[in-house]
Amino acid sequence: MVVCFLIHTVCPVSALSAGETRILYARVFGPETGDGCDFTPEQRRLMQKEKLHVVARQVRSAVALSREASGGLCVEAVLGEEAAALGEADSGVFSLGNAELFPDRSVVLWLGVQSLAFSLVCRPHENLLLAEGTLRNIARHCLEELRLLGPGAEVLLKSDRVDALLHRLLPHGQLLFFNHRFVLALDKDIANYVSK
């Protein structure tokens, strides 16, 4: 089961300082946990928001460390070069401690594509190869169909399309095994939906 999916910044944006990250899209799967029984809905929402910010900051640090170690830099996006950007993307995985942010131990898979990061928080028993393939597939569709790397791309205005992508590729937070024919049909379905 996937706990949550995030799209956030990893490079400095004009409105942010060098050490900050901005969550552009977040989707949490699964039922509410019972850890906040004494809190109001607003307090629970703020606690969940802070948990997601902690994950985003840890991913930003991991991406920065990976790029520093490899000598890579955060470069500006070129429209039409989404496939190349995805091929050169940094990726990694790290573990969140037992009940550090979520009720159980969790694993974070991340993919740093230029100034954006795509992150999946999964349960530790999940198939990490399947989760990585799903994350790359979601990132590919977001980059190609929604043009997230283009100038002026507003993820916030395209959240309904990202929701539709997740509904098809990650229904209710469940990782799915796809065969080649199903992937082709799904790609066609997604392209038709996004073009509307």
Side-chain angles (χ1 to χ4, degrees), residues 148-174:
L148 295 186
L149 294 180
E154 292 291 329
V155 180
L156 302 175
L157 299 177
K158 299 176 181 180
S159 64
D160 60 330
R161 294 180 179 187
V162 178
D163 280 337
L165 276 172
L166 291 178
H167 178 70
R168 287 169 173 80
L169 297 171
L170 201 61
H172 307 291
Q174 294 295 317

Side-chain angles (χ1 to χ4, degrees), residues 8 18 40 46 60 81 87 97 101 104 115 117 119 134 165 169 178:
H8 54 92
T40 66
L46 290 173
R60 182 192 47 77
E81 298 290 326
L101 294 174
D104 301 319
S115 62
S119 305
T134 301
L165 276 172
L169 297 171
F178 297 126

Side-chain angles (χ1 to χ4, degrees), residues 1-186:
M1 173 88 182
V2 173
V3 178
C4 68
F5 170 75
L6 299 169
I7 302 174
H8 54 92
T9 60
V10 291
C11 289
V13 181
S14 59
L16 302 174
S17 69
E20 290 185 67
T21 185
R22 174 177 286 163
I23 295 177
L24 303 173
Y25 178 86
R27 172 85 183 267
V28 178
F29 299 99
E32 286 283 324
T33 58
D35 60 349
C37 296
D38 299 336
F39 299 111
T40 66
E42 181 65 17
Q43 289 171 325
R44 271 185 286 210
R45 186 188 69 77
L46 290 173
M47 287 174 30
Q48 183 179 48
K49 186 177 175 182
E50 183 54 35
K51 288 177 183 180
L52 297 177
H53 275 286
V54 169
V55 171
R57 284 191 297 267
Q58 289 182 352
V59 169
R60 182 192 47 77
S61 296
V63 170
L65 184 62
S66 173
R67 288 181 179 168
E68 187 177 316
S70 67
L73 298 173
C74 183
V75 294
E76 285 299 315
V78 178
L79 198 58
E81 298 290 326
E82 290 87 2
L86 189 59
E88 298 170 359
D90 298 301
S91 62
V93 62
F94 62 86
S95 179
L96 295 174
N98 197 16
E100 188 175 320
L101 294 174
F102 300 101
D104 301 319
R105 192 172 73 84
S106 301
V107 175
V108 179
L109 287 94
W110 57 267
L111 186 63
V113 183
Q114 294 182 355
S115 62
L116 293 177
F118 299 87
S119 305
L120 275 181
V121 179
C122 303
R123 297 283 181 232
H125 64 275
E126 287 294 340
N127 182 334
L128 294 182
L129 287 175
L130 178 61
E132 181 187 7
T134 301
L135 181 61
R136 285 189 178 275
N137 203 6
I138 292 169
R140 179 178 61 85
H141 281 292
C142 285
L143 296 174
E144 291 175 358
E145 306 291 340
L146 304 180
R147 303 284 187 203
L148 295 186
L149 294 180
E154 292 291 329
V155 180
L156 302 175
L157 299 177
K158 299 176 181 180
S159 64
D160 60 330
R161 294 180 179 187
V162 178
D163 280 337
L165 276 172
L166 291 178
H167 178 70
R168 287 169 173 80
L169 297 171
L170 201 61
H172 307 291
Q174 294 295 317
L175 294 171
L176 302 176
F177 286 97
F178 297 126
N179 66 23
H180 182 67
R181 288 184 184 172
F182 186 75
V183 168
L184 290 176
L186 194 61

